[in-house]
Amino acid sequence: DQQVKQNSPSLSVQEGRISILNCDYTNSMFDYFLWYKKYPAEGPTFLISISSIKDKNEDGRFTVFLNKSAKHLSLHIVPSQPGDSAVYFCAASLISSGSARQLTFGSGTQLTVLP
Amino acid sequence: NAGVTQTPKFRILKIGQSMTLQCTQDMNHNYMYWYRQDPGMGLKLIYYSVGAGITDKGEVPNGYNVSRSTTEDFPLRLELAAPSQTSVYFCASSLRTVLSGNTIYFGEGSWLTVV
């Protein structure tokens, strides 16, 4: 039972165009969402996050949109660059027992930006 | 600039063998985590710790044990290795619970194959 789903395993985009990566979740108790980026043979690195009290957060070329009614979030990368080619993981967070927040990850989307 | 360091990077185990994945962080983070990533899947939490002497189970703890005797170290022990434990293992840490600005930092991963 995947609570966080990334239904597109891969996405190819031309350099300079917009990349849109999508993520759906089922647990309405999630209140914080994050995107991680992962290059081969490296650990994931934090990219951008959004609290459930917001519907948009922007950081440079990266913008995350949250639609709580649809339980959907998306990551927009504009303009896309070849160095953005990586696997992108969506993650959701809620307070677990003992006050530690756990992350539930989606299965990832491989983004390829073509020069 | 070490961050989160995991050893070994690669290991092949025979069924029934035991081993310990080492993890150390030099950022004085309170929270430490062990995740595993199976092919085509998201990262799943095995165990986590909110401080020295305190550990708790995550989503997939069976077949594993952890200890947290110091702030810096969080080793993961596999007892009686099984083929189902073939995976990539990521250790991670965060200063506090995962909220804005308190992101999780991951190690580079340990590739484990059980044959």
Side-chain angles (χ1 to χ4, degrees):
Chain A
D1 178 30
Q2 275 190 291
Q3 296 190 66
V4 178
K5 298 180 183 178
Q6 293 176 257
N7 291 318
S8 298
S10 63
L11 174 68
S12 291
V13 170
Q14 208 69 33
E15 181 179 5
R17 308 291 286 267
I18 184 172
S19 296
I20 300 176
L21 297 100
N22 294 304
C23 178
D24 297 293
Y25 61 96
T26 56
N27 189 342
S28 58
M29 298 299 290
F30 287 138
D31 61 353
Y32 195 69
F33 304 89
L34 307 92
W35 285 93
Y36 280 80
K37 176 179 177 180
K38 184 182 180 301
Y39 293 116
E42 293 184 11
T45 56
F46 170 73
L47 191 58
I48 192 169
S49 62
I50 187 167
S51 165
S52 61
I53 63 173
K54 296 185 175 181
D55 54 19
K56 176 182 173 181
N57 189 28
E58 194 171 349
D59 184 2
R61 297 187 295 115
F62 303 91
T63 303
V64 56
F65 295 91
L66 176 62
N67 182 335
K68 282 178 292 186
S69 60
K71 295 191 180 69
H72 176 83
L73 66 156
S74 60
L75 174 69
H76 293 212
I77 306 173
V78 181
S80 301
Q81 299 173 355
D84 295 330
S85 297
V87 177
Y88 288 79
F89 289 100
C90 168
S93 169
L94 77 167
I95 291 181
S96 61
S97 60
S99 80
R101 280 182 171 269
Q102 297 187 25
L103 290 181
T104 301
F105 284 84
S107 55
T109 297
Q110 170 69 57
L111 172 66
T112 302
V113 179
L114 305 167
Chain B
N1 199 21
V4 179
T5 304
Q6 298 178 228
T7 56
K9 199 167 181 68
F10 301 96
R11 181 73 186 268
I12 298 175
L13 273 182
K14 292 185 178 178
I15 294 172
Q17 283 186 320
S18 300
M19 76 159 296
T20 299
L21 295 174
Q22 301 292 344
C23 176
T24 187
Q25 52 91 8
D26 60 0
M27 298 174 282
N28 203 30
H29 284 173
N30 295 319
Y31 291 75
M32 295 189 74
Y33 315 82
W34 274 105
Y35 286 88
R36 59 177 285 175
Q37 185 192 9
D38 300 327
M41 304 291 288
L43 284 78
K44 293 189 183 295
L45 183 66
I46 305 171
Y47 270 95
Y48 67 97
S49 168
V50 302
I54 306 169
T55 63
D56 210 344
K57 295 178 180 178
E59 185 182 357
V60 289
N62 292 341
Y64 306 94
N65 278 302
V66 293
S67 60
R68 185 93 183 270
S69 56
T70 66
T71 301
E72 295 79 17
D73 300 307
F74 191 42
L76 177 72
R77 177 100 178 141
L78 281 74
E79 305 283 2
L80 299 174
S84 61
Q85 293 178 303
T86 294
S87 190
V88 183
Y89 291 83
F90 291 98
C91 180
S93 72
S94 61
L95 180 59
R96 288 182 292 274
T97 190
V98 177
L99 280 175
S100 178
N102 297 317
T103 59
I104 289 182
Y105 296 86
F106 286 86
E108 294 185 339
S110 296
W111 275 253
L112 177 66
T113 301
V114 182
V115 297

